[in-house]
Amino acid sequence: MTGAVVPAVTARVVVTGRIPQAGVDLLVGAGHHVDVWTDDTPIPRDELLRRVAGAHAVVSLLTARIDDELLDAAGPQLRAVANVAVGYDNIDVAACHRRGVVATNTPGVLTDATADLAMALVLMTTRRLAEGERLIRSGEPWRWGMFMMLGTGLQGARLGVVGMGQIGTALARRARAFGMTVAYANRRPVDPAVASELGAVRLPLDELLATSDVVSLHCPATPETHHLIGAAQLASMRPTAFLVNTARGTVVDEAALVDALERGEIAGAGLDVFEHEPAVHPGLLGRDDVVLLPHLGSATVETRTAMATLAARNALAVLAGADPLTPIGVVRPTG
Ligand code: DGY
């Protein structure tokens, strides 16, 4: 049989921002009425609240806050909130569960892209790549010199992974290929086979911070991880160490980071996420020892397509009365 699947009941699905067409096609192909906010700027809150009224599913970008107010505005027929992201700090999962709304995210499909970007930040910070690029573009005269723009080698350096979930583990694999050793801080030990493959040692966070040459953050944003890296933690790091954050900006106290860089408590930072995103602390902007990227972790064509189709499949499964592929099962994310 060919042609679109006609569901028993046509549902109304609101997509809070532009997603790759493959995701929209799945929803439309299943016979649902799909309402996509197609502007590139985030949907204004009042417009979002108006649009979700009567929706059966919301496919949400991480820029849309899904909370009691939105769930009330949607109404009791709402069945699913499918986030197009692995992080779900934009969703009040408990509020969803209280109403019997299934919440889902997109783990797995963005692991490699995000780990690639974290490794790129490790290289950019330790080898001063953005600084070098800025020099060339500035038009300032330069010539090769034995001591020009020396960086830090990775061979034998320790990578400290905070939050050894899928992305942290994928970064550790990449770091091993660059000759780094791996330590990690995690609530639970990783699978012994993975630990032995990576030669990874589990350390308490304070010991990891004090002994790592590069600290990379891969924990979710929760009340427990808010400002996990603050003034005291930064002061405990090596003055030659670098901090990389591709997780969520709120994990780092950005003002404390600026102070620590200013005092030379750490050597530099590579940031893909920001505490008050999209705003960036002004104290970071003029510094050569930081690399700043606009939340590009999962930004490849292939990955964004996979995220959109997984989110659409999650919404479709719930609308069809089936189990979603990747539900958010707990109120507190575990990474
Ligand atoms: C996520 O999926 O949580 C990422 O931050 C989006 O790129």
Side-chain angles (χ1 to χ4, degrees):
M1 211 173 86
T2 56
V5 180
V6 180
V9 179
T10 297
R12 210 168 88 69
V13 182
V14 171
V15 185
T16 71
R18 248 172 20 97
I19 62 172
Q21 192 57 35
V24 178
D25 287 348
L26 281 176
L27 297 165
V28 172
H32 297 304
H33 175 79
V34 183
D35 178 3
V36 186
W37 173 257
T38 50
D39 206 294
D40 260 336
T41 56
I43 185 168
R45 182 72 179 173
D46 51 354
E47 176 66 18
L48 177 60
L49 295 179
R50 198 184 61 70
R51 283 193 187 208
V52 296
H56 300 91
V58 175
V59 174
S60 52
L61 301 193
L62 55 79
T63 42
R65 203 172 69 250
I66 310 294
D67 55 8
D68 274 316
E69 182 189 37
L70 182 135
L71 297 166
D72 286 343
Q77 78 299 323
L78 183 69
R79 311 255 298 277
V81 171
N83 217 32
V84 193
V86 66
Y88 49 87
D89 45 308
N90 59 313
I91 300 179
D92 184 340
V93 180
C96 290
H97 289 176
R98 277 198 300 275
R99 291 168 172 80
V101 172
V102 176
T104 66
N105 66 340
T106 61
V109 293
L110 46 73
T111 299
D112 285 323
T114 309
D116 287 348
L117 191 98
M119 193 66 220
L121 281 173
V122 173
L123 289 162
M124 288 180 81
T125 50
T126 56
R127 297 299 301 274
R128 304 171 61 176
L129 302 181
E131 194 185 337
E133 218 250 356
R134 276 194 297 276
L135 172 67
I136 298 284
R137 287 181 190 271
S138 74
E140 290 289 312
W142 67 276
R143 65 168 58 88
W144 184 88
M146 184 63 87
F147 298 99
M148 187 205 178
M149 231 175 240
L150 299 186
T152 306
L154 295 180
Q155 293 73 22
R158 172 178 272 184
L159 171 71
V161 177
V162 179
M164 192 73 160
Q166 295 187 57
I167 298 170
T169 303
L171 172 65
R173 288 208 170 89
R174 285 153 176 75
R176 290 286 288 161
F178 281 83
M180 299 185 82
T181 61
V182 174
Y184 71 96
N186 205 47
R187 274 189 284 179
R188 286 178 293 276
V190 296
D191 185 309
V194 173
S196 122
E197 171 206 336
L198 297 170
V201 289
R202 180 168 173 240
L203 297 176
L205 180 62
D206 54 354
E207 197 179 333
L208 177 134
L209 292 172
T211 60
S212 294
D213 299 296
V214 179
V215 173
S216 189
L217 305 177
H218 299 282
C219 49
T222 67
E224 289 77 21
T225 63
H226 182 82
H227 286 188
L228 181 71
I229 306 298
Q233 291 71 28
L234 290 160
S236 76
M237 287 172 66
R238 294 177 167 175
T240 50
F242 296 86
L243 178 72
V244 167
N245 190 6
T246 54
R248 283 291 184 269
T250 53
V251 177
V252 177
D253 179 342
E254 227 165 72
L257 174 60
V258 171
D259 289 346
L261 289 162
E262 195 59 35
R263 283 198 288 265
E265 288 172 352
I266 65 170
L271 308 174
D272 186 44
V273 288
F274 301 92
E275 188 175 351
H276 304 291
E277 205 169 303
V280 177
H281 193 293
L284 293 170
L285 293 175
R287 302 196 66 91
D288 264 337
D289 53 4
V290 295
V291 176
L292 308 170
L293 298 180
H295 203 147
L296 296 178
S298 64
T300 70
V301 172
E302 299 82 358
T303 300
R304 288 284 161 82
T305 301
M307 291 164 71
T309 54
L310 177 53
R313 288 201 170 94
N314 275 325
L316 290 175
V318 177
L319 291 172
D323 288 338
L325 286 83
T326 49
I328 301 168
V330 290
V331 174
R332 292 278 153 71
T334 52

